[in-house]
């Protein structure tokens, strides 16, 4: 289902309380919200903090199909124990929200080569995917310029090379920065596209900038993409939260018609 969700990202986190974020997202007309599992949104990651977020989602009738792996340790060989410990918390949050996707940003690790980063990632994922499968969830890896998975082609190659049953998060901002052709990219990711992040080409609100959303929507339509559409951008103007929702609903309509 093409659920339109809001990600409490830069400009939102730290500016508003968790309760205020839920209020803003619901009032803007979103159907869902991404839950980032880190202290900026879930405090000490305690059961009480998680309970509060679940209660707020239920109060506002918001689903949370995507959960963010907030502790960026999966690409660091020396932090595997910490990474897998964090995964247990992420998995519990995902269970509580009946989430479909656990999103992982494949971050660069200081002093670690690309090869070593991807080896650590693959090792960690190999231990995570079984638990996700048991709970009907999938892991989606987000590529970004300058990161161990620089673009969607490297993401596809990683999945093919490792044979891991994982997926990709395609962020329109990262696609634009790769100078990728949106229609071709959608078709290339057909078998492994988990969710889409919707952003302006300058990381501002969706619809700003010059990314070709129409061509991308056509590609997503042709591959029958049905995953979440997650609005993620640097929020400056609070009114943009509602505008971004409307834009993404129109983007969804282009995919569906």
């Amino acid at each position: 289902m093409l659920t339109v969700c809001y990600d409490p990202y830069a400009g939102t986190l730290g500016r508003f309380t968790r309760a205020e974020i839920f209020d803003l997202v619901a009032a803007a007309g979103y159907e869902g919200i991404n839950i980032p599992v880190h202290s900026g949104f879930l405090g000490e990651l305690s059961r009480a903090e998680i309970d509060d977020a679940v209660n707020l989602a239920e109060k506002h009738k918001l689903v949370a199909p995507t959960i963010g792996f907030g502790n960026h340790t999966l690409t660091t060989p020396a932090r595997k124990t910490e990474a897998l410990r964090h995964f247990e918390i992420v998995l519990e949050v995902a269970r509580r929200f009946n989430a479909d996707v656990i999103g992982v940003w494949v971050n660069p690790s200081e002093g670690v080569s690309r090869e070593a980063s991807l080896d650590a990632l693959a090792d960690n994922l190999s231990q995570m995917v079984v638990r996700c499968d048991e709970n009907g969830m999938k892991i989606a890896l987000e590529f970004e310029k300058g990161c161990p998975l620089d673009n969607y082609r490297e993401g596809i190659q990683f999945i093919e090379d490792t044979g891991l049953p994982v997926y990709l998060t395609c962020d329109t901002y990262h696609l634009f920065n790769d100078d990728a052709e949106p229609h071709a990219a959608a078709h290339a990711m057909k078998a492994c596209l988990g969710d889409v992040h919707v952003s302006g080409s300058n990381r501002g609100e969706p619809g700003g900038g010059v990314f070709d959303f129409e061509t991308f929507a056509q590609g997503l339509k042709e591959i029958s993409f049905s995953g979440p559409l997650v609005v993620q951008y640097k929020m400056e103007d609070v009114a943009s939260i509602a505008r971004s929702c409307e834009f993404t609903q129109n983007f969804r309509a282009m995919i569906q018609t």
Side-chain angles (χ1 to χ4, degrees):
M1 182 178 179
L2 292 162
T3 308
V4 176
C5 308
Y6 185 81
D7 183 24
Y9 186 69
T12 301
L13 276 185
R15 181 174 174 183
F16 301 102
T17 67
R18 183 166 58 228
E20 288 171 337
I21 291 170
F22 274 94
D23 286 341
L24 287 166
V25 172
Y30 289 87
E31 298 149 2
I33 184 170
N34 175 63
I35 305 293
V37 183
H38 58 63
S39 59
F41 192 72
L42 289 178
E44 298 175 354
L45 308 184
S46 65
R47 182 164 295 278
E49 298 269 14
I50 297 168
D51 285 346
D52 181 64
V54 170
N55 291 336
L56 285 167
E58 290 175 349
K59 172 187 173 184
H60 292 291
K61 295 181 172 55
L62 290 169
V63 296
T66 62
I67 306 294
F69 195 100
N71 186 351
H72 303 310
T73 51
L74 289 171
T75 57
T76 309
R79 300 178 72 179
K80 288 182 182 178
T81 300
E82 178 186 348
L84 293 173
R85 192 181 306 126
H86 183 68
F87 170 65
E88 294 298 331
I89 300 171
V90 173
L91 185 62
E92 177 60 23
V93 173
R95 283 197 197 105
R96 294 291 307 278
F97 282 95
N98 295 313
D100 301 314
V101 177
I102 292 175
V104 172
W105 174 53
V106 184
N107 62 293
S109 292
E110 189 174 352
V112 181
S113 69
R114 176 179 184 269
E115 183 180 16
S117 293
L118 293 180
D119 284 347
L121 177 65
D123 187 33
N124 284 320
L125 290 173
S126 70
Q127 299 180 65
M128 294 161 57
V129 290
V130 175
R131 303 283 304 284
C132 288
D133 185 59
E134 290 171 350
N135 288 276
M137 300 167 194
K138 55 192 174 188
I139 295 171
L141 308 176
E142 183 173 3
F143 55 86
E144 180 179 353
K145 301 305 293 179
C147 290
L149 296 181
D150 179 88
N151 52 66
Y152 75 85
R153 298 171 300 283
E154 290 188 359
I156 294 169
Q157 192 66 52
F158 174 81
I159 294 171
E160 291 177 348
D161 288 348
T162 61
L164 290 166
V166 294
Y167 297 78
L168 295 179
T169 293
C170 180
D171 189 310
T172 59
Y173 174 66
H174 302 323
L175 206 59
F176 175 79
N177 286 335
D178 183 49
D179 291 325
E181 200 288 310
H183 184 266
H187 276 268
M189 290 183 282
K190 177 179 180 178
C192 59
L193 184 55
D195 63 336
V196 167
H197 286 179
V198 182
S199 172
S201 61
N202 56 358
R203 210 28 147 192
E205 66 179 276
V210 294
F211 180 76
D212 188 351
F213 278 96
E214 285 192 26
T215 299
F216 190 40
Q218 184 62 32
L220 293 176
K221 176 182 178 179
E222 290 167 2
I223 67 169
S224 301
F225 174 71
S226 60
L229 300 172
V230 182
V231 171
Q232 185 189 82
Y233 68 104
K234 292 180 180 177
M235 197 279 291
E236 296 177 357
D237 175 13
V238 176
S240 70
I241 298 176
R243 290 196 300 267
S244 297
C245 181
E246 183 179 4
F247 176 88
T248 306
Q249 288 168 340
N250 290 334
F251 176 54
R252 174 173 63 185
M254 286 191 283
I255 300 170
Q256 292 176 323
T257 56

